Amino acid sequence: MSVFDDPGLFGRLWAADYDGPGNPDPAPAVDFLAELADGGPVLELAIGTGRVALPLAERGLSVHGVEASEEMVAQLRAKPGGDQIPVVVADMADVPVKGEFRLAYLVFNTLFNLVDAERQADCFRNVARVLSPGGAFVIETFVPDPRDFDSDEQVQVRSVTEDSATIRLHKYDRPAQRFIRQTITFDAEGVHLRPFAMRYAWPHQIDEMAQQAGLRLTERYADWQRRPFHADSPSHISVYRAE
């Protein structure tokens, strides 16, 4: 199945390595979200292996999750406390949970893992459905920079050893605001492919999706430390509130 059609493919291919070195430190996000949660309950879309959810649960918050990959959920369940977090295995855009949540969130660019504009819009509408009045939906994404596109389409050497070599390639579809990335490893067992795709969007486009879902932008920062967001900021943390 195509990487554009299977929301669980990323997790099946990457779950075993997802908590490896080089990933962002979740602590700043946890501090920000815990303050905003106002006692919970909390919903994480694409909960993954629980890097953010588990520390929030340790602070006494009731955390629920949605995750498309059973492999990711298995990694979560193997961690202390991971079996106590309710998780629905499903496409996060459907938000197939009941409740009224004080906080829902999508961190680490995960909104862009929904590779169709329509599914991104579905996600906002469905989150709005399960937020309590005044509840918050927090998004963290990078800000696309067209200057990076051409350089990213070059071959990147990820690792070279005596036993293997790994390279990475990107290909952009600018009209669709999508890219596909292929990570290729060559070793004694053969060639191993790990594809990944994103549909990126600029902050104003995300604001439009939120507005159409009945959510309004109330805060925007450059990072989890609440530094001011500027036109040249490479990423943003945006807080949307239910009307």
Side-chain angles (χ1 to χ4, degrees):
M1 181 176 289
S2 166
V3 67
F4 294 111
D5 302 321
D6 184 353
L9 181 61
F10 173 81
R12 290 198 295 276
L13 295 174
W14 292 95
D17 301 325
Y18 192 67
D19 291 328
N23 289 311
D25 178 7
V30 171
D31 290 340
F32 183 104
L33 295 168
E35 180 179 337
L36 208 62
D38 192 28
V42 172
L43 174 65
E44 179 171 1
L45 301 179
I47 195 171
T49 63
R51 286 190 289 157
V52 174
L54 285 170
L56 285 175
E58 290 170 359
R59 298 190 184 199
L61 292 169
S62 174
V63 182
H64 299 248
V66 177
E67 172 58 51
S69 164
E70 294 182 356
E71 290 80 3
M72 285 285 197
V73 176
Q75 295 286 333
L76 166 64
R77 296 288 184 237
K79 296 178 179 181
D83 59 345
Q84 302 300 310
I85 296 178
V87 179
V88 176
V89 178
D91 187 336
M92 67 179 178
D94 295 328
V95 193
V97 296
K98 296 180 179 180
E100 284 198 344
F101 293 93
R102 287 298 301 164
L103 171 69
Y105 61 91
L106 266 171
V107 297
F108 307 143
N109 306 311
T110 313
L111 173 66
F112 296 167
N113 289 5
L114 298 170
V115 294
D116 293 307
E118 294 81 4
R119 293 302 279 160
Q120 291 178 357
D122 288 344
C123 183
F124 274 88
R125 284 193 294 269
N126 287 319
V127 166
R129 172 178 52 80
V130 301
L131 284 179
S132 62
F137 184 27
V138 177
I139 300 289
E140 177 196 16
T141 75
F142 64 84
V143 178
D145 185 347
R147 294 173 298 181
D148 293 337
F149 294 172
D150 290 337
S151 62
D152 281 346
E153 287 185 349
Q154 308 302 314
V155 176
Q156 302 171 1
V157 178
R158 304 294 293 180
S159 68
V160 177
T161 71
E162 293 181 354
D163 301 314
S164 68
T166 300
I167 62 173
R168 179 169 288 177
L169 304 93
H170 290 77
K171 181 63 178 178
Y172 282 85
D173 180 347
R174 291 166 179 76
Q177 296 180 201
R178 298 202 302 192
F179 69 80
I180 185 167
R181 185 184 76 196
Q182 185 64 264
T183 302
I184 309 170
T185 298
F186 305 88
D187 61 22
E189 297 179 359
V191 179
H192 310 274
L193 305 178
R194 291 201 282 186
F196 175 65
M198 277 187 167
R199 192 265 172 180
Y200 53 88
W202 279 266
H204 74 274
Q205 294 176 316
I206 299 174
D207 294 347
E208 290 171 1
M209 286 188 281
Q211 185 177 14
Q212 291 168 2
L215 303 174
R216 58 186 175 86
L217 178 69
T218 58
E219 303 168 58
R220 173 163 286 148
Y221 305 103
D223 54 32
W224 295 111
Q225 288 77 23
R226 292 184 167 84
R227 295 185 180 93
F229 177 81
H230 300 292
D232 58 352
S233 296
S235 62
H236 66 104
I237 313 298
S238 297
V239 181
Y240 301 95
R241 294 275 183 183
E243 300 287 355

